[in-house]
């Protein structure tokens, strides 16, 4: 039985028709996700607040959960906000800009989508808490908390006590970098997870082994540093070859290749409309009710007393496990004998990679050789009393290891079996895309996300900031929480699958709604002003979405509002250089104009008073839980 609508019978109620424009993108994503889950949506008649978006999360078995979405972690701060201003204020523009040398927004409602997913997950988690005996009635998140969460590993690298990374768009080597361009003008990504295909590929292209080896380090570390300064010789050699020729070399050497496609290209794929309608998760319930599904909470957090077994690498899967730990679960992380090699990736904090620790600090470790019968038996023993098994193995690997959902359900029928995939499915034969590595950058290229970023950022590809790994991790944790809520209500285990591709679809849900000519709840329009200005000290991001905001800006700056005049932009450029970014931010906040000092160095985040509630100092600065419950 395929019953994907996991929360049928549940609902959300809120002032969705009259919400503040600052929360429009969050509300749109929240409604899309709730609809995909089968939830009833009721627009309340109570007046919307400007300071926050508030809604009730309801199930047939619990008291309503009041879910509040604030702008800032410090709820007393009420500065006007937009998606792009939040990206500037929390350092996302800085990380995205490292590869191009320019501070620019992603061009996606990224923070808003993350916030909506976390808000819905918070409501589901709080309901689980109630069902497990906790008196939780409120859940809250903020846009700033979501933005900081997305940057956790980069903040760790920038704030580590010994040899912190200082990677700024203005002083990093940013040319040339991926994606590459063929002689016939095709922009494309290449990918491999092993050095062998990389060396063979460049040797056949005509590049020396030494130069290819120098490029491998930059290529491999682009996940961690958001830069990829390849040697000039690599880019030059590729630019002399046609895309067809390069594709043939890839096929012979084991390298993967994917052109940068548009949203329209993706919308024409056979599976796209189904994935969009389904939402970013697939739930399968094929088991009989099991009484073991009910447990009492052992602490104050909703998932306390639940056990997660995690076998994941890199970012997506470990972040999902980290989020469940922040909700109180006990997470047991499976690592190979000798430990995960990423533990040794600099910069280091107290003997462990700061980046690795940022995603795994709350977990206990079991070293298991999952390829051996003894290791597989060990995992089944761990799963016997666990609540969730989470992995992000390559497609088909779970079947080969005898650790597929059916294998583990036989041991524990109430188990939530979670697969955080790259493309779509664990069954290789069902998805031709599974022949390509399901990595962030390949998925950005295929899904249309990279082209959408390029159109805004003025480069020719996506972002080396791990856009989809982070959102994919949030979506995976959200799907697990929803499956756990369903289990609490209906006493059944499940398999839940999410992917980087499904996260990409979520991120561009409004674009697909437009392509498929479906009614929209979120009207977009180009801002009158949306720019970053240099000041006497630092940079300031300013956005005027409408004429009223432009009038307030003009009044604050004592200038005319005729944006059509030739010297208007020049006048603004000159004017903003007369004061520091901090001084201008105070002026524009008083005028109710969305603006923020652009964070250039992530180490500065910990010194900003209104962001400090979301951060914790230590051997590196860690990001706190995005949720609070009461």
């Amino acid at each position: 039985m395929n019953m994907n609508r996991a929360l049928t019978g549940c609902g959300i109620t809120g002032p969705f028709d009259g919400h503040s424009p600052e929360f429009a993108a969050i509300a749109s994503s929240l409604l899309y996700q709730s609809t995909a889950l089968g939830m009833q949506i009721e627009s309340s008649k109570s007046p919307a607040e400007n300071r926050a978006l508030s809604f009730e999360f309801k199930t047939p078995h619990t008291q309503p959960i009041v879910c509040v979405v604030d702008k800032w972690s410090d709820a007393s701060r009420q500065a006007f906000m937009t998606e792009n201003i939040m990206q500037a204020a929390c350092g996302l523009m800085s990380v995205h800009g490292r590869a191009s040398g320019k501070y620019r927004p992603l061009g996606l409602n990224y923070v808003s989508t993350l916030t909506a997913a976390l808000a819905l997950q918070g409501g589901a988690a709080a309901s689980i808490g109630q069902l497990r005996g906790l008196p939780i009635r409120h859940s809250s998140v903020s846009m700033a908390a979501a933005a900081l969460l997305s940057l956790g590993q980069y903040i760790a690298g920038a704030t580590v006590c010994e040899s912190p990374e200082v990677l700024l768009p203005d002083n990093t080597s940013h040319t040339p970098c991926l994606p590459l361009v063929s002689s016939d003008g095709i922009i494309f990504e290449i990918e491999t997870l092993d050095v062998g295909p990389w060396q063979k590929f460049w040797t056949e292209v005509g590049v020396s082994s030494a130069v290819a080896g120098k490029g491998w380090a930059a290529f491999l570390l682009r996940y961690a540093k958001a830069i990829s300064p390849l040697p000039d010789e690599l880019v030059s050699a590729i630019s002399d070859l046609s895309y067809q020729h390069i594709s043939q070399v890839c096929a012979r050497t084991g390298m993967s290749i994917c052109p940068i496609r548009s949203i329209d290209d993706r919308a024409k794929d056979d599976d796209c409309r189904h994935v969009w309608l389904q939402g970013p998760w697939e739930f399968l319930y094929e088991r009989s009710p099991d009484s073991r599904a009910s447990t009492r909470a052992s602490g104050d957090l909703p998932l306390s007393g639940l056990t997660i077994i995690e076998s994941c690498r890199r970012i997506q899967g470990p972040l999902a496990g980290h989020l469940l730990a922040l909700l109180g679960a006990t997470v047991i992380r499976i690592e190979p004998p000798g430990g995960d090699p990423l533990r040794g990736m600099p910069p280091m904090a107290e003997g462990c990679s700061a980046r690795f620790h940022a995603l795994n600090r709350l977990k206990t470790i079991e070293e298991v050789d999952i390829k051996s019968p003894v290791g597989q038996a060990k995992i089944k023993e761990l799963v016997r009393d666990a609540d969730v098994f989470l992995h992000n193995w390559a497609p088909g690997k779970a079947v080969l290891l005898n650790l597929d959902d059916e294998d583990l359900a036989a041991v524990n029928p109430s188990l939530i079996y979670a697969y955080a995939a790259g493309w779509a499915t664990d069954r290789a034969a069902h998805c031709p895309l599974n022949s390509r590595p399901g990595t962030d950058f390949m998925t950005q290229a295929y899904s249309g996300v990279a082209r959408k970023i390029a159109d805004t950022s003025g480069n020719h590809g996506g972002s080396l900031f791990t856009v989809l790994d982070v959102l994919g991790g949030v979506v995976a944790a959200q799907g697990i929480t929803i499956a756990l809520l369903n289990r609490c209500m209906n006493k059944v285990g499940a398999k839940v699958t999410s992917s980087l591709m499904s996260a990409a679809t979520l991120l561009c849900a409004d674009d697909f709604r437009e392509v498929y000519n479906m009614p929209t709840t979120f009207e977009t329009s180009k801002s009158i002003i949306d720019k970053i200005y240099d000041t006497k000290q630092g940079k300031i991001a300013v956005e005027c979405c409408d004429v009223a905001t432009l009038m307030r800006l003009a009044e604050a700056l004592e200038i005319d509002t005729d944006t059509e005049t030739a010297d208007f932009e020049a006048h603004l450029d000159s004017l903003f250089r007369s004061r520091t970014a901090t001084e201008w931010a105070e002026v524009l906040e008083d005028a109710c104009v969305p603006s923020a000092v652009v964070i250039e160095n992530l180490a500065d985040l910990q010194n900003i008073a209104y962001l400090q509630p979301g951060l914790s100092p230590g051997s590196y600065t860690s990001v706190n839980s995005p949720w609070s419950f009461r």
Side-chain angles (χ1 to χ4, degrees), residues 54 93 168 182 193 200 224 234 282 406 446 450-451 466 479 505 513 542 597 617 629:
S54 180
M93 277 190 188
L168 309 180
S182 64
L193 302 179
K200 292 177 183 175
L234 302 187
E282 180 183 77
E406 295 176 358
Y446 190 87
R451 175 69 64 83
T466 49
T505 306
R513 190 194 307 274
V542 180
V597 175
F629 300 98

Side-chain angles (χ1 to χ4, degrees), residues 345 425 542 607:
M345 176 185 285
T425 176
V542 180
N607 301 320

Side-chain angles (χ1 to χ4, degrees), residues 22-27 29-30 33 69-72 81-93 105-119 141-151 465 467 470-471 474 506-507 626:
E22 294 176 283
F23 299 104
I26 297 174
S29 186
L30 183 64
Q33 294 175 53
V69 180
D70 286 302
K71 290 177 279 190
W72 301 97
M81 187 48 52
T82 66
E83 167 73 37
N84 289 348
I85 296 300
M86 188 60 80
Q87 290 186 21
C90 292
L92 208 158
M93 277 190 188
L106 284 169
L108 302 160
N109 288 316
Y110 189 72
V111 177
S112 300
T113 304
L114 278 177
T115 305
L118 292 169
V141 298
S142 72
M143 292 179 71
L148 293 176
L149 176 74
S150 74
L151 296 166
F465 161 65
V467 171
V470 170
L471 182 58
V474 170
L506 169 63
L507 189 56

Side-chain angles (χ1 to χ4, degrees), residues 314-583:
R314 290 184 178 262
I315 299 171
Q316 177 197 24
L319 175 59
H322 179 64
L323 289 168
L324 298 171
L326 290 173
L327 288 170
T330 297
V331 180
I332 300 172
R333 175 177 166 78
I334 303 297
E335 295 191 9
D340 191 322
L342 293 180
R343 288 180 173 277
M345 176 185 285
M348 306 292 284
E350 298 181 352
C352 183
S353 166
R355 289 193 188 88
F356 181 92
H357 198 256
L359 294 174
N360 298 291
R361 66 181 186 273
L362 302 176
K363 305 170 186 175
T364 58
I365 307 300
E366 286 272 357
E367 293 188 9
V368 178
D369 179 8
I370 62 174
K371 297 178 182 177
S372 73
V374 172
Q376 293 156 16
K378 173 67 174 177
I379 289 181
K380 289 180 179 176
E381 191 58 34
L382 287 170
V383 160
R384 187 177 303 281
D385 298 317
D387 298 279
V388 176
F389 179 74
L390 164 66
H391 76 84
N392 67 348
W393 301 330
K397 184 173 180 179
V399 175
L400 294 176
L401 294 174
N402 298 313
L403 296 173
D404 200 1
D405 57 315
E406 295 176 358
D407 299 314
L408 299 191
V411 176
N412 180 353
S414 65
L415 185 73
I416 303 300
Y417 186 98
Y419 180 38
W423 297 111
T425 176
D426 195 28
R427 314 286 181 175
H430 293 180
C431 182
L433 287 172
N434 281 342
S435 61
R436 309 180 190 192
T439 62
D440 195 317
F441 308 121
M442 290 294 270
T443 318
Q444 283 192 47
Y446 190 87
S447 66
V449 167
R451 175 69 64 83
K452 194 169 168 62
I453 292 173
D455 289 345
T456 298
S457 298
N459 53 20
H460 57 247
S463 179
L464 294 184
F465 161 65
T466 49
V467 171
L468 297 180
D469 266 325
V470 170
L471 182 58
V474 170
V475 166
Q478 185 194 30
I480 291 168
T481 306
I482 290 164
L484 284 169
L485 174 57
N486 185 287
R487 190 182 77 162
C488 284
M489 295 189 293
N490 301 311
K491 314 301 181 192
V492 292
K495 178 179 180 181
V496 53
T497 302
S498 59
S499 67
L500 300 181
M501 178 62 87
S502 70
T505 306
L506 169 63
L507 189 56
C508 299
D510 287 318
D511 297 276
F512 291 113
R513 190 194 307 274
E514 184 176 335
V515 170
Y516 294 135
N517 296 315
M518 301 290 282
T520 181
T521 57
F522 176 50
E523 298 293 340
T524 59
S525 60
K526 186 177 180 180
S527 292
I528 301 170
I529 293 176
D530 185 7
K531 189 174 177 182
I532 294 169
Y533 296 92
D534 289 318
T535 71
K536 189 176 182 178
Q537 181 178 353
K539 303 176 186 296
I540 188 165
V542 180
E543 184 165 358
C544 295
C545 301
D546 51 33
V547 173
T549 308
L550 178 64
M551 295 291 287
R552 294 197 296 273
L553 174 69
E555 184 176 350
L557 301 183
E558 299 179 345
I559 59 173
D560 293 331
T561 59
D562 187 359
T563 58
E564 300 300 322
T565 59
D567 60 351
F568 180 78
E569 276 298 327
H571 185 44
L572 284 182
D573 286 337
S574 175
L575 189 57
F576 277 116
R577 291 178 186 275
S578 65
R579 297 188 188 183
T580 69
T582 301
E583 291 170 341

